[in-house]
């Protein structure tokens, strides 16, 4: 694949934008981690102190982080009962992925459970979040460099459509190779679904345990945040797997951003306890259930349709034919807005923040950031669909004018 060349349209503001994001994203993460521990916990406050080097760097944190990655690699390599095929690649081949992420989650839970019974102080993990985030960031920079070097010797057919501009900063950020692998070990699939996501669950749990140790029992708000976020899971066929290369952007997102900032609500509740009455909690639970239902129903309707358009559950839906032979759904969830799954995701994001009360903006950071991410992601997907489907996509946009929120956006 020839480089896209300087005139190809680059995303994220090109090399300058990519360089800025590589500084801004870690800086934002550390800002949030410092502010959530401070007295007023105001999103726009400067951290009350600059961290001492020893608060950031700890060999124990490095060992723990490497052990965690090693453990998840070992679980990934265990024989899987099921293998799934990914989307068709440029050379018409399909990669195979082991479906054993849930097995890894259960094994991790068992191991941690046994550890706690044997006296492992899980709550103490909350004291190590800052140095853990630091070593995670450090390893992501090194890992992204190795991925970039590996991509330099990868065959042209293995390169990602977006991360092959020829500009090293931009390609390092976006990821030059689509699915970097060593033998059958797929780095992107491993990082997307394992250390970060399971790490997020574990950090939330550690915060719950620490709250119980400090205050006698976990608060209702902490239970809700833990329960909601545990329920949430990502799916295999996201744009990241099928389109984006694997570089700093996804590696940082998966390994550092997700575990350390997605657990911000639970961190906030540990340092700023919030009273929550049962009636309010019930309304929030209902909101989360609605969001989850919309998210799952929309995703599974599209997945079922893509796998088998004559499946009885989707056979009656209206469709638009496209020149590629694939069809676009224009009724059901995908006739309501062009991204009903994002709508469900945003309703859930609001439900995750509400247990933290309305006196602070900090727990709503996830909602604000996620809205920006999904609006930007929707625009990127729109461009890709326009390229894939041309006139048929225009027709879809005419018949389904709203993008994410009916009658609003
Ligand atoms: P989507 O699952 O929304 O898939 C978009 C693709 O669906 C399009 O490229 C197109 O691909 C197909 N499509 C679009 N419209 C139609 C239609 N009308 N009929 C049939 N097919 C259509 O993409 P994402 O990967 O962005 O999201 C997956 C899930 O992951 C979402 O629920 C999202 O909210 C969630 N997510 C969560 C994140 C988090 O950090 N928590 C981050 C990112 C995503 P094609 O036609 O080629 O099939």
């Amino acid at each position: 694949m020839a480089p896209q060349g300087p005139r190809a349209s680059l995303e994220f503001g090109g090399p300058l934008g990519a360089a800025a994001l590589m500084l801004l994203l870690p800086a934002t993460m550390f800002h949030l981690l410092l502010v959530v521990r401070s007295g007023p916990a105001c999103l726009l406050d400067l951290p009350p102190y600059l961290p001492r080097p020893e608060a950031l760097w700890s060999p124990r944190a490095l060992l723990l982080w490497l052990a965690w990655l090693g453990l998840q690699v070992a679980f990934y390599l265990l024989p899987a009962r099921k293998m799934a095929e990914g989307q068709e690649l440029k050379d018409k081949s399909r990669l195979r992925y082991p479906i054993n992420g849930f097995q890894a989650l259960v094994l991790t839970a068992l191991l941690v459970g046994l550890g706690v019974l044997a006296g492992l102080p899980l709550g103490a993990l909350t004291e190590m979040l800052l140095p853990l985030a630091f070593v995670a960031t450090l390893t992501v920079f090194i890992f992204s460099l190795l991925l970039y070097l590996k991509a330099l010797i990868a065959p042209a057919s293995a390169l990602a459509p977006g991360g092959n501009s020829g500009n090293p900063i931009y390609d390092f950020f976006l990821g030059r190779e689509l699915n970097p692998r060593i033998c059958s070990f797929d780095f992107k699939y491993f990082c997307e679904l394992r250390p970060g996501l399971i790490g997020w669950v574990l950090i939330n749990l550690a915060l719950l345990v620490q709250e119980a140790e400090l205050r006698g029992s976990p608060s209702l708000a902490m239970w809700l945040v833990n329960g909601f976020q545990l329920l949430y899971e990502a799916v295999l066929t996201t744009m990241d797997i099928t389109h984006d290369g694997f570089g700093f952007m996804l590696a940082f997102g998966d390994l550092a951003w997700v575990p350390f900032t997605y657990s911000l609500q639970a961190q906030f509740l540990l340092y700023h306890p919030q009273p929550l009455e049962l009636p309010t909690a019930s309304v929030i639970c209902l909101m989360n259930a609605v969001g989850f239902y919309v998210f799952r129903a929309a995703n599974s309707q599209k997945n079922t349709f893509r796998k088998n358009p004559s499946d009885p559950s989707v056979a009656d839906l209206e469709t638009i034919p496209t020149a590629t032979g694939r069809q676009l759904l224009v009724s059901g969830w995908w006739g309501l807005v062009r991204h009903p799954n994002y709508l469900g995701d945003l309703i859930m994001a609001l439900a995750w923040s509400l247990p933290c009360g309305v006196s602070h903006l900090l727990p709503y950071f996830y909602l604000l950031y996620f809205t920006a991410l999904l609006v930007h992601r929707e625009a990127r997907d729109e461009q890709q669909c326009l390229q894939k489907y041309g006139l048929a996509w225009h027709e879809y946009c005419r018949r389904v004018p709203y993008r994410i929120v009916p009658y609003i956006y």
Side-chain angles (χ1 to χ4, degrees):
M1 192 187 294
Q4 294 158 289
R7 283 198 295 163
S9 69
L10 300 182
E11 299 177 290
F12 300 99
L16 215 62
L21 280 172
M22 281 191 278
L23 291 178
L24 206 66
L25 288 172
T28 306
M29 183 180 76
F30 286 111
H31 172 75
L32 293 168
L33 284 174
L34 287 169
V35 167
V36 76
R37 284 158 175 71
S38 74
C42 174
L43 188 55
L44 300 178
D45 268 0
L46 282 177
Y49 55 88
L50 276 177
R52 287 164 290 115
E54 60 272 24
L56 282 181
W57 170 250
S58 134
R60 230 157 53 104
L62 180 63
L63 272 180
L64 191 63
W65 175 246
L66 294 179
W68 174 249
L69 290 180
L71 183 74
Q72 293 307 322
V73 169
F75 289 160
Y76 179 98
L77 294 175
L78 286 178
R81 270 191 295 159
K82 219 175 127 193
M83 297 292 286
E85 286 203 326
Q87 304 237 327
E88 193 176 274
L89 299 175
K90 276 228 154 61
D91 62 2
K92 304 282 174 216
S93 68
R94 285 176 192 269
L95 294 173
R96 288 169 60 76
Y97 297 92
I99 304 297
N100 59 5
F102 185 68
Q103 181 180 309
L105 177 67
V106 173
L107 287 173
T108 307
L110 272 176
L111 210 66
V112 171
L114 286 176
V116 169
L117 285 179
L120 182 88
L122 183 59
L125 187 66
T126 59
E127 306 293 325
M128 294 184 71
L129 291 184
L130 210 54
L132 278 172
F134 184 73
V135 293
T137 306
L138 210 63
T139 43
V140 164
F141 272 102
I142 298 169
F143 181 40
S144 310
L145 182 66
L146 296 176
L147 285 170
Y148 180 76
L149 295 177
K150 177 179 177 319
L152 291 180
I153 51 165
S157 63
L159 300 187
N164 168 32
S165 70
N167 182 296
I169 295 179
Y170 184 79
D171 293 351
F172 173 88
F173 175 75
L174 215 65
R176 200 159 180 269
E177 195 175 347
L178 185 59
N179 298 298
R181 284 184 163 209
I182 290 183
C183 299
S184 63
F185 188 89
D186 190 298
F187 290 106
K188 180 161 56 165
Y189 177 58
F190 168 74
C191 290
E192 285 254 307
L193 299 178
R194 289 153 203 258
L197 280 183
I198 303 179
W200 172 21
V201 173
L202 192 67
I203 290 174
N204 271 355
L205 185 67
L207 289 156
L208 184 142
V209 168
Q210 183 73 350
E211 196 190 37
E213 276 169 18
L214 285 178
R215 304 194 184 105
S217 67
S219 61
L220 182 55
M222 183 67 96
W223 278 118
L224 253 53
V225 167
N226 262 264
F228 292 165
Q229 297 187 348
L230 186 62
L231 193 71
Y232 183 75
E233 66 189 70
V235 279
L236 174 64
T237 54
T238 69
M239 193 199 316
D240 303 342
I241 297 271
T242 56
H243 176 266
D244 290 334
F246 193 46
F248 179 87
M249 179 178 79
L250 286 185
F252 182 75
D254 296 339
L255 298 177
W257 186 264
V258 166
F260 298 106
T261 68
Y262 282 25
S263 58
L264 208 63
Q265 283 113 347
Q267 293 184 49
F268 176 83
L269 288 172
L270 179 68
Y271 298 105
H272 309 272
Q274 300 291 317
L276 183 65
E277 300 300 327
L278 214 54
T280 319
S282 312
V283 174
I284 299 173
C285 283
L286 188 69
M287 177 184 277
N288 191 66
V290 170
F292 190 72
Y293 174 71
V294 175
F295 168 80
R296 291 293 290 183
N299 276 324
S300 69
Q301 189 170 68
K302 175 166 68 73
N303 292 345
T304 307
F305 180 73
R306 280 284 173 250
K307 268 192 209 133
N308 176 17
S310 39
D311 186 287
S313 64
V314 292
D316 292 338
L317 295 175
E318 255 187 276
T319 58
I320 301 177
T322 75
T324 63
R326 283 159 88 88
Q327 295 184 313
L328 290 169
L329 288 168
V330 75
S331 70
W333 286 108
W334 298 80
L336 180 72
V337 282
R338 300 206 292 270
H339 268 289
N341 47 356
Y342 290 4
L343 175 65
D345 235 332
L346 287 173
I347 297 173
M348 280 191 288
L350 178 60
W352 296 358
S353 305
L354 286 172
C356 303
V358 289
S359 56
H360 290 73
L361 191 57
L362 192 86
Y364 292 82
F365 171 79
Y366 175 73
L367 178 66
L368 297 176
Y369 141 82
F370 200 46
T371 305
L373 180 139
L374 289 183
V375 165
H376 179 248
R377 198 173 168 96
E378 193 278 335
R380 291 181 76 205
D381 190 50
E382 180 105 359
Q383 276 308 311
Q384 287 162 25
C385 287
L386 200 58
Q387 273 176 12
K388 266 187 283 186
Y389 302 125
L391 282 178
W393 187 258
H394 281 300
E395 171 64 6
Y396 178 50
C397 294
R398 192 188 64 74
R399 293 189 49 185
V400 185
Y402 292 99
R403 295 162 193 262
I404 301 178
V405 187
Y407 304 106
I408 296 181
Y409 179 74

